[in-house]
Amino acid sequence: MCITFIDLSIFTIKIELQTSYTTMSANKYDFGLVGLGVMGRNFILNVADNGFTAYGLDLSEDQVNALKEEGGNTEKVDATTSKEAFIANLSTPRKIMLLVPAGKPVDAVIESLLPHLDEGDLIIDGGNSYYIDTDRREAYLNEKGIHFLGVGVSGGAKGARKGPSIMPGGSEPSYKYIKPIFDAVSAKAHDGKPCVAYLGPKSAGNYVKMVHNGIEYGMMQLTSEIYDLLRKSAKFTNDELHEIFAKWNEGRLQSFLVQITSEIFKQNDELTDGRLVDFILDKAKQKGTGKWTSQNAMDLGIPVPTIDIAVSMREISALKDERVKADELYGRPEVEAIEKAKLIELAEQSLYFAFIISYSQGLHQLSDASKEYGYNLDLGLISQIWRAGCIIRAGLLEDITQAFNADKDLPNLLLAPTFVDRVQAAVPAVREVVAFAAKNGIPVPGLSNSLTYFDAYTSSKLPLNLIQAQRDHFGSHTYERIDREGIFHTEWGA
Ligand code: 6PG
């Protein structure tokens, strides 16, 4: 009896301890977020809407108050300017997401949190961080017993609130802590599947998000070129452009970018009687992800010329004063009139073709990076989680997902049997548009680069034999032959 009594009392104490811990835990918040700008506030409210309690940290009292107000002052979501209060109010292991500008701010926040964290806590960087920084941070934090995930989040402020596409990378066991929250808050595709999935180790998440943005740059550049062509050659009005893009968005070009483009043409300017788009300065800014995509594609030796030119065009756009001077010096041809219905048809085919090329190039880069960096990426899965929530979401991604699911080792979308006929069918229109634009002095470098990429990638014979001959001629760099094995050198002209 006595022994039973003692046992029971220990059991009771354990139960009490367990209960008090559970009670304490229940009062604490499931999820912490640092950086309560619009993205951060929207993300944390999304978490709170989905059955989790969330606590925010920001140095600005205004941001903290904004969150409390937007959250309706409920118990599900709260925030503080005090790091200590933030840490003390999170249930352990703590799950802390950072939505702060990429670069030094991420390191600064990590350093400021570190002394207060316990082993086993998880830090998630949800910004557009450079993938090499992510690898460094993961190694650094793992040494200290802290889990770390580099996670791409796409969809802008609205996506963060209603459901973004989330691209997590890092160690899989670390991901398990946050999976239920990410599954709940992510966008859902039309089949109900969440637009989030563990993508791979180390910086896989940030790398995939970087290339997502490269594709985004390509698609935005292409859309702007088609707009230019439509307005300059057939003089479509903003109302007509709105209609054209809205109609396209109901067909095979259905995508977030085509949809918002149609909305943009409708937006009245509050400061004048015109449409806002006509008053926006034609200098595009950039934060770096497109440039990193191009730079890294060069390092890998994977051609992504549609993305490259999209970055270059933002750079050319920035040279506004020089462009204005050069325009005066050189002028440009009078643009020929073209039948409106015909142009709409050619433009639709061209945009469809070039969107496919943008995805092809980005996914080709991912396929190669996966091997190079050991990410072990599943391109079908990546295309699947891009179907909703993110900036490059599009109906096309349904077929792209299927193409990569059918062939996991497909190096390039252009080699997928389901894409051959549709690409072939669009090519004549693209040739016509590029030729028309060249003749009329309308710059369409995204479109022409996409076409040239296509023509080169689908050429079994390129003139690079001549380059090899030149290299060997002036530098004894050697060459290979088509008719026999081996490395050759010739004393040219001898
Ligand atoms: C997204 C966007 C987002 C951001 C871009 C803007 O997926 O939600 O890509 O991350 O708007 O990075 O980039 P730029 O300023 O370089 O155009």
Side-chain angles (χ1 to χ4, degrees), residues 4 35 61 104 196 219 232 254 319 324 358 360-361 421 436 447 490:
T4 312
E61 192 91 44
K104 288 198 175 109
V196 57
M219 293 171 75
K232 282 184 179 155
Q254 185 279 315
L319 307 173
V324 170
S358 294
S360 303
Q361 291 177 7
D421 287 349
F436 176 86
L447 199 54
T490 297

Side-chain angles (χ1 to χ4, degrees), residues 39 128 153-157 167 209 212-213 216-217 220 285-290 314 389-392:
M39 277 291 284
N128 280 327
V153 180
S154 178
M167 295 153 243
K209 176 60 172 39
H212 163 285
N213 282 23
E216 172 186 303
Y217 272 52
M220 291 169 78
K285 300 275 160 65
Q286 50 179 322
K287 296 203 196 75
T289 44
R314 292 197 189 193
C390 67
I391 304 298
I392 63 168

Side-chain angles (χ1 to χ4, degrees), residues 115-311:
H116 307 277
L117 298 179
D118 294 315
E119 272 196 22
D121 286 349
L122 166 66
I123 295 183
I124 301 154
D125 175 14
N128 280 327
S129 287
Y130 189 43
Y131 72 99
I132 289 176
D133 288 341
T134 299
D135 287 334
R136 168 179 57 77
R137 288 173 188 137
E138 189 195 36
Y140 173 67
L141 288 168
N142 285 358
E143 245 176 47
K144 298 180 184 312
I146 306 293
H147 298 277
F148 181 74
L149 298 170
V151 172
V153 180
S154 178
K158 277 191 192 150
R161 184 71 184 88
K162 300 275 175 216
S165 172
I166 308 180
M167 295 153 243
S171 91
E172 204 162 6
S174 305
Y175 182 61
K176 297 231 164 76
Y177 292 111
I178 197 67
K179 183 179 185 306
I181 295 181
F182 278 1
D183 280 348
V185 302
S186 63
K188 307 294 173 293
H190 66 89
D191 55 6
K193 289 192 180 150
C195 288
V196 57
Y198 171 74
L199 296 184
K202 303 184 290 179
S203 51
N206 286 120
Y207 192 92
V208 170
K209 176 60 172 39
M210 175 186 84
V211 174
H212 163 285
N213 282 23
I215 298 171
E216 172 186 303
Y217 272 52
M219 293 171 75
M220 291 169 78
Q221 172 60 30
L222 293 161
T223 315
S224 77
E225 291 174 13
I226 293 294
Y227 153 60
D228 207 22
L229 195 75
L230 291 171
R231 69 174 174 172
K232 282 184 179 155
S233 59
K235 310 274 184 281
F236 284 106
T237 64
N238 283 318
D239 278 332
E240 287 171 319
L241 291 168
H242 161 76
E243 294 294 335
I244 293 166
F245 278 84
K247 191 147 187 282
W248 285 350
N249 193 44
E250 286 165 12
R252 61 184 183 165
L253 277 176
Q254 185 279 315
S255 57
F256 173 72
L257 285 169
V258 168
Q259 178 210 318
I260 63 164
T261 304
S262 118
E263 288 166 14
I264 284 167
F265 294 123
K266 257 310 208 210
Q267 185 77 38
N268 287 324
D269 180 23
E270 285 178 1
L271 303 176
T272 68
D273 289 340
R275 292 287 158 87
L276 179 55
V277 68
D278 294 329
F279 290 90
I280 295 179
L281 186 65
D282 56 344
K283 279 165 82 167
K285 300 275 160 65
Q286 50 179 322
K287 296 203 196 75
T289 44
K291 183 184 76 178
W292 297 339
T293 307
S294 279
Q295 284 174 327
N296 186 253
M298 282 283 176
D299 288 342
L300 292 172
I302 295 295
V304 295
T306 306
I307 298 171
D308 298 337
I309 200 68
V311 178

